[in-house]
Amino acid sequence: MGGWDAPWHWIVVAVLVIALFGAKRLPDAARSLGRSLRIFKTEIKGMSEDDKARVKAREDAENAEPRALPAAEFIKRDNGAPGTHEAGPVDGPVDGASAPRPRPSPTGQRQTSAQKD
Protein backbone atom coordinates (compact mmCIF):
# COMPACT_ATOMS: atom_id res chain seq x y z
CA MET A 1 0.00 0.00 0.00
CA GLY A 2 1.20 3.45 -0.89
CA GLY A 3 1.40 6.43 1.34
CA TRP A 4 0.30 9.97 0.52
CA ASP A 5 1.74 9.80 -2.98
CA ALA A 6 -1.54 8.64 -4.58
CA PRO A 7 -3.63 11.55 -5.96
CA TRP A 8 -6.93 10.10 -4.72
CA HIS A 9 -5.67 10.43 -1.12
CA TRP A 10 -5.27 14.18 -1.61
CA ILE A 11 -8.71 14.42 -3.20
CA VAL A 12 -10.30 12.71 -0.19
CA VAL A 13 -8.49 15.06 2.20
CA ALA A 14 -9.58 18.12 0.16
CA VAL A 15 -13.24 16.96 0.19
CA LEU A 16 -13.12 16.41 3.96
CA VAL A 17 -11.60 19.87 4.60
CA ILE A 18 -14.23 21.56 2.41
CA ALA A 19 -17.00 19.61 4.14
CA LEU A 20 -15.73 20.50 7.62
CA PHE A 21 -14.90 24.19 7.14
CA GLY A 22 -17.09 25.19 4.22
CA ALA A 23 -16.05 26.67 0.88
CA LYS A 24 -16.59 30.28 2.04
CA ARG A 25 -14.34 30.09 5.11
CA LEU A 26 -11.34 28.47 3.38
CA PRO A 27 -10.15 31.58 1.45
CA ASP A 28 -10.51 33.72 4.58
CA ALA A 29 -8.55 31.17 6.61
CA ALA A 30 -5.81 31.00 3.96
CA ARG A 31 -5.64 34.82 3.81
CA SER A 32 -5.34 35.18 7.58
CA LEU A 33 -2.72 32.42 7.69
CA GLY A 34 -0.71 34.27 5.02
CA ARG A 35 -0.91 37.53 6.98
CA SER A 36 0.15 35.80 10.16
CA LEU A 37 3.14 34.22 8.44
CA ARG A 38 4.12 37.57 6.91
CA ILE A 39 3.96 39.29 10.32
CA PHE A 40 5.93 36.45 11.90
CA LYS A 41 8.59 36.73 9.19
CA THR A 42 9.01 40.50 9.69
CA GLU A 43 9.21 40.08 13.48
CA ILE A 44 11.93 37.43 13.14
CA LYS A 45 13.83 39.69 10.74
CA GLY A 46 13.49 42.60 13.19
CA MET A 47 14.79 40.46 16.05
CA SER A 48 17.89 39.49 14.08
CA GLU A 49 18.52 43.17 13.24
CA ASP A 50 18.12 44.05 16.94
CA ASP A 51 20.64 41.37 17.84
CA LYS A 52 23.13 42.73 15.30
CA ALA A 53 22.67 46.28 16.65
CA ARG A 54 23.14 45.05 20.24
CA VAL A 55 26.36 43.21 19.33
CA LYS A 56 27.68 46.26 17.46
CA ALA A 57 26.91 48.54 20.41
CA ARG A 58 28.65 46.15 22.80
CA GLU A 59 31.73 46.01 20.55
CA ASP A 60 31.79 49.81 20.26
CA ALA A 61 31.56 50.14 24.03
CA GLU A 62 34.39 47.66 24.55
CA ASN A 63 36.64 49.37 22.00
CA ALA A 64 35.92 52.92 23.20
CA GLU A 65 38.42 54.65 25.44
CA PRO A 66 37.25 55.15 29.02
CA ARG A 67 36.08 58.68 29.76
CA ALA A 68 37.53 60.55 32.71
CA LEU A 69 35.27 62.12 35.30
CA PRO A 70 35.39 65.92 35.56
CA ALA A 71 37.63 67.37 38.23
CA ALA A 72 36.01 68.15 41.57
CA GLU A 73 35.64 71.78 42.52
CA PHE A 74 36.56 72.88 46.03
CA ILE A 75 35.62 76.02 47.89
CA LYS A 76 36.86 77.41 51.14
CA ARG A 77 34.36 77.04 53.98
CA ASP A 78 34.23 78.99 57.16
CA ASN A 79 32.24 77.52 60.04
CA GLY A 80 32.29 80.82 61.94
CA ALA A 81 35.05 80.04 64.43
CA PRO A 82 38.21 82.12 64.03
CA GLY A 83 41.09 80.27 62.43
CA THR A 84 39.03 77.24 61.36
CA HIS A 85 38.82 76.98 57.61
CA GLU A 86 38.37 73.71 55.78
CA ALA A 87 38.20 72.82 52.11
CA GLY A 88 35.41 70.63 50.86
CA PRO A 89 33.30 69.91 47.83
CA VAL A 90 30.79 72.46 46.57
CA ASP A 91 27.67 70.43 47.30
CA GLY A 92 27.47 71.05 51.07
CA PRO A 93 26.15 74.00 53.08
CA VAL A 94 28.32 77.08 53.28
CA ASP A 95 28.59 79.03 56.57
CA GLY A 96 26.04 76.75 58.21
CA ALA A 97 23.30 77.82 55.77
CA SER A 98 21.83 75.69 53.06
CA ALA A 99 23.28 76.97 49.79
CA PRO A 100 21.40 76.35 46.53
CA ARG A 101 22.94 73.74 44.28
CA PRO A 102 24.40 75.07 41.03
CA ARG A 103 22.51 74.22 37.83
CA PRO A 104 23.77 74.21 34.25
CA SER A 105 22.45 77.03 32.11
CA PRO A 106 21.92 77.02 28.35
CA THR A 107 25.21 78.90 27.96
CA GLY A 108 27.13 76.20 29.83
CA GLN A 109 27.86 78.38 32.87
CA ARG A 110 26.64 77.50 36.32
CA GLN A 111 23.78 79.39 37.88
CA THR A 112 21.95 79.03 41.15
CA SER A 113 18.21 79.38 41.65
CA ALA A 114 18.76 82.97 42.88
CA GLN A 115 20.51 83.89 39.61
CA LYS A 116 17.83 82.41 37.38
CA ASP A 117 16.17 84.70 34.83
Side-chain angles (χ1 to χ4, degrees):
M1 295 245 131
W4 286 98
D5 54 349
W8 67 274
H9 287 139
W10 289 108
I11 293 172
V12 170
V13 169
V15 169
L16 286 173
V17 167
I18 291 172
L20 287 175
F21 295 108
K24 185 176 186 310
R25 294 179 91 191
L26 287 177
D28 294 336
R31 192 175 304 115
S32 66
L33 180 65
R35 286 181 186 156
S36 299
L37 289 176
R38 209 173 305 124
I39 291 170
F40 181 73
K41 181 180 168 184
T42 57
E43 290 296 324
I44 294 296
K45 186 177 180 182
M47 287 175 53
S48 67
E49 290 173 0
D50 289 345
D51 290 341
K52 289 177 186 175
R54 189 177 304 119
V55 167
K56 185 178 183 304
R58 185 180 306 138
E59 289 173 355
D60 290 346
E62 289 174 356
N63 294 336
E65 293 182 23
R67 294 184 287 174
L69 294 174
E73 296 181 25
F74 289 93
I75 60 169
K76 197 172 208 179
R77 294 187 192 193
D78 185 9
N79 63 2
T84 57
H85 297 288
E86 57 184 64
V90 176
D91 62 342
V94 178
D95 294 333
S98 177
R101 296 191 77 158
R103 290 192 220 172
S105 68
T107 61
Q109 297 176 350
R110 291 183 176 208
Q111 73 182 56
T112 60
S113 59
Q115 297 172 342
K116 233 175 26 179
D117 292 326

